[in-house]
């Protein structure tokens, strides 16, 4: 057609999606061979759902370090599934360094966030090793340099072509009934679960490195956020339920906000993923979990939720941290530490907390 370039023709061409292969394990295929396709799919999804739940509790039992490694593996696998889809489409346009840059920026992001976490929680261990101490001291500068290098690589890889992808038709299987019902169920479940978990130190204490035992420990005195307190019930509700006060953890109040976001805003991560898949004319990101699709299909909402949790904790929950302040003071020179000590002592004397030299 006149006026239409080859690139336009490629963009407009329809690609017939390949029929999905049967990725059900052979053991399940034999055991469920007498069932119809519909019931077989239900059994496969149910069995593997239970298996994932059991695997989740095993991970929790194995401890925080194993959980951190599993989270990293899930993140890498989800990223791999997305990059594989993108590369299968974009490689025909001869985009240079597509996969290289994608994995490079994943490395940069992980280095920045995991580096911050390691420095905060394992400060004692980091300060014992000279290489780790240097990396910790110049962590943000190194991260910026890595991002800047990736940006330069991206600019050098640019070519004179333009591509447009359109996200359309969110998942038709998502209904308003499920959306609203999920909201109330999530808030109630969040209140109950937060009450149970707040009573266990393994859920409310941070993982720290004990220099004396040379091991990681999860033990602390729970903060006020995880201590039962008494709250007055509004007069309107007192006449209905017959209670004047209720004992609950302060974190349960925060759980309402987290549950509300998870049920009302979190699903938009799934909507976005649905549009992404439909734009590429695929049903699932991968076939890692038979009956469920890829890891990304199970975690599409979690990335949005994880970001919100991080911002919420930093904004409304996390306050001044005395232990972190002490860690920062220990990195100062002796003369700086002495100056801070004298300033703090003078301040406490003025406040009447300490007695002055003339009074002693």
């Amino acid at each position: 057609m006149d006026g239409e370039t080859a690139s336009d023709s490629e963009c407009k061409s329809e690609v017939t999606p390949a029929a999905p292969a049967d990725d059900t394990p052979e053991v399940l295929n034999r055991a469920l061979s007498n069932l119809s396709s519909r019931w077989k799919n239900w059994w496969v999804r149910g069995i593997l759902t239970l298996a994932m739940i059991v695997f989740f509790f095993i991970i929790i039992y194995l401890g925080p370090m194993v959980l951190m490694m599993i989270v990293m593996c899930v993140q890498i696998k989800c990223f791999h599934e997305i990059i594989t889809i993108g590369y299968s489409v974009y490689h025909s346009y001869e985009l240079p360094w597509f996969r290289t840059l994608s994995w490079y920026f994943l490395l940069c992001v992980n280095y920045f966030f995991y580096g911050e976490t390691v420095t905060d929680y394992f400060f004692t261990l980091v300060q014992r090793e000279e290489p780790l101490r240097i990396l910790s001291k110049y962590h943000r500068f190194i991260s910026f340099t890595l991002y800047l290098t990736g940006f330069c690589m991206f600019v050098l890889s640019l070519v004179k072509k333009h591509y447009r992808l359109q996200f359309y038709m969110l998942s038709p299987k998502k209904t308003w009934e499920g959306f609203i019902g999920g909201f109330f169920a999530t808030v109630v479940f969040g209140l109950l679960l937060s009450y149970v978990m707040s009573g266990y130190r393994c859920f409310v204490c941070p993982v720290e490195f004990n220099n004396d035992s040379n091991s990681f420990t999860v033990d602390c005195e729970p903060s006020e956020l995880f201590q039962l307190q008494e709250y007055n019930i509004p007069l309107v509700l007192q006449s209905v339920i017959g209670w004047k006060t209720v004992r609950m953890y302060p974190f349960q109040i925060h759980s309402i906000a987290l549950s509300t976001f998870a049920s009302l805003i979190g699903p938009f991560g799934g909507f976005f993923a649905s549009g992404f898949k439909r734009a590429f004319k695929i049903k699932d990101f991968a076939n890692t979990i038979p009956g469920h699709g890829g890891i990304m299909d199970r975690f599409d909402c979690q990335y949005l939720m994880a970001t919100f949790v991080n911002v919420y904790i930093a904004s409304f929950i996390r306050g001044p941290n005395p232990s972190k302040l002490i860690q920062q003071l220990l990195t100062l020179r002796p003369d700086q530490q002495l100056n801070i000590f004298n300033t703090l002592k003078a301040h406490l004397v003025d406040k009447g907390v300490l007695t002055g030299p003339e009074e002693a």
Side-chain angles (χ1 to χ4, degrees):
M1 182 181 296
D2 294 340
E4 185 179 47
T5 64
S7 178
D8 292 333
S9 299
E10 285 181 0
C11 293
K12 294 180 180 179
S13 61
E14 296 291 332
V15 180
T16 303
D22 186 6
D23 52 1
T24 307
E26 188 62 26
V27 176
L28 292 180
N29 267 329
R30 293 176 183 175
L32 305 175
S33 58
N34 295 328
L35 298 177
S36 64
S37 176
R38 179 182 179 183
W39 280 105
K40 177 182 176 181
N41 181 60
W42 276 98
W43 273 99
V44 169
R45 290 177 64 91
I47 292 172
L48 290 174
T49 297
L50 291 176
M52 287 189 289
I53 293 175
V54 172
F55 181 64
F56 174 78
F57 281 106
I58 291 175
I59 294 172
I60 297 296
Y61 175 78
L62 292 177
M65 296 305 297
V66 175
L67 182 60
M68 287 175 61
M69 295 302 298
I70 293 296
V71 169
M72 182 181 293
C73 291
V74 168
Q75 179 189 33
I76 293 174
K77 183 62 176 113
C78 290
F79 189 81
H80 173 260
E81 292 174 0
I82 295 176
I83 291 304
T84 300
I85 294 173
Y87 182 73
S88 65
V89 174
Y90 286 121
H91 79 281
S92 60
Y93 297 109
E94 299 179 353
L95 291 178
W97 304 348
F98 176 80
R99 287 185 296 186
T100 302
L101 281 173
S102 300
W103 285 105
Y104 177 83
F105 278 112
L106 176 67
L107 175 66
C108 293
V109 170
N110 278 306
Y111 175 81
F112 177 77
F113 287 107
Y114 281 99
E116 292 271 330
T117 302
V118 169
T119 302
D120 288 343
Y121 286 98
F122 309 132
F123 180 82
T124 305
L125 177 62
V126 169
Q127 292 301 311
R128 284 195 336 191
E129 303 293 334
E130 182 65 22
L132 293 179
R133 187 158 59 246
I134 295 175
L135 290 176
S136 173
K137 183 177 181 180
Y138 301 104
H139 175 70
R140 297 206 172 187
F141 177 78
I142 295 174
S143 300
F144 175 77
T145 303
L146 291 174
Y147 275 112
L148 187 61
T149 303
F151 177 77
C152 294
M153 293 171 60
F154 170 74
V155 172
L156 293 174
S157 69
L158 293 177
V159 292
K160 294 182 179 180
K161 291 184 180 180
H162 304 279
Y163 311 97
R164 292 185 302 173
L165 290 177
Q166 182 180 8
F167 289 175
Y168 59 94
M169 290 179 61
L170 300 182
S171 177
K173 295 183 179 180
K174 294 179 173 63
T175 62
W176 281 107
E177 291 81 0
F179 191 71
I180 298 174
F183 162 68
F184 289 104
T186 303
V187 171
V188 173
F189 183 77
L191 278 170
L192 297 177
L193 185 62
S194 60
Y195 179 85
V196 174
M197 296 179 68
S198 295
Y200 294 90
R201 293 192 177 186
C202 59
F203 291 119
V204 301
C205 293
V207 182
E208 295 181 342
F209 183 81
N210 191 315
N211 202 32
D212 297 330
S213 61
N214 202 36
S215 61
F216 296 104
T217 59
V218 184
D219 189 26
C220 68
E221 184 65 30
S223 65
E224 294 183 358
L225 195 65
F226 302 106
Q227 294 181 8
L228 283 171
Q229 298 185 20
E230 197 169 83
Y231 293 92
N232 294 322
I233 297 177
L235 295 176
V236 178
L237 296 178
Q238 287 183 16
S239 58
V240 177
I241 62 178
W243 298 346
K244 293 184 177 181
T245 60
V246 61
R247 286 176 59 82
M248 60 187 300
Y249 294 100
F251 181 74
Q252 288 182 270
I253 300 176
H254 294 291
S255 75
I256 297 176
L258 296 173
S259 300
T260 300
F261 183 92
S263 56
L264 297 182
I265 309 300
F268 282 89
F271 299 157
F272 180 86
S274 296
F276 184 90
K277 290 184 287 187
R278 289 178 179 275
F280 286 101
K281 297 181 175 62
I282 59 173
K283 180 182 178 182
D284 299 313
F285 282 100
N287 56 1
T288 308
I289 309 174
H292 290 267
I295 298 293
M296 187 64 193
D297 292 285
R298 298 299 93 196
F299 283 83
D300 48 10
C301 299
Q302 304 307 318
Y303 290 101
L304 188 61
M305 185 64 201
T307 304
F308 173 76
V309 170
N310 183 276
V311 173
Y312 185 89
I313 291 176
S315 303
F316 302 105
I317 297 179
R318 184 182 296 144
N321 191 336
S323 61
K324 183 177 292 186
L325 180 60
I326 292 176
Q327 291 174 357
Q328 294 173 344
L329 290 175
L330 293 176
T331 61
L332 300 176
R333 299 193 309 271
D335 61 310
Q336 294 175 322
Q337 294 175 349
L338 186 59
N339 182 43
I340 293 176
F341 170 77
N342 292 328
T343 303
L344 181 60
K345 182 179 179 180
H347 175 74
L348 293 177
V349 169
D350 291 340
K351 289 287 186 180
V353 179
L354 295 179
T355 56
E358 64 282 352
E359 300 179 10

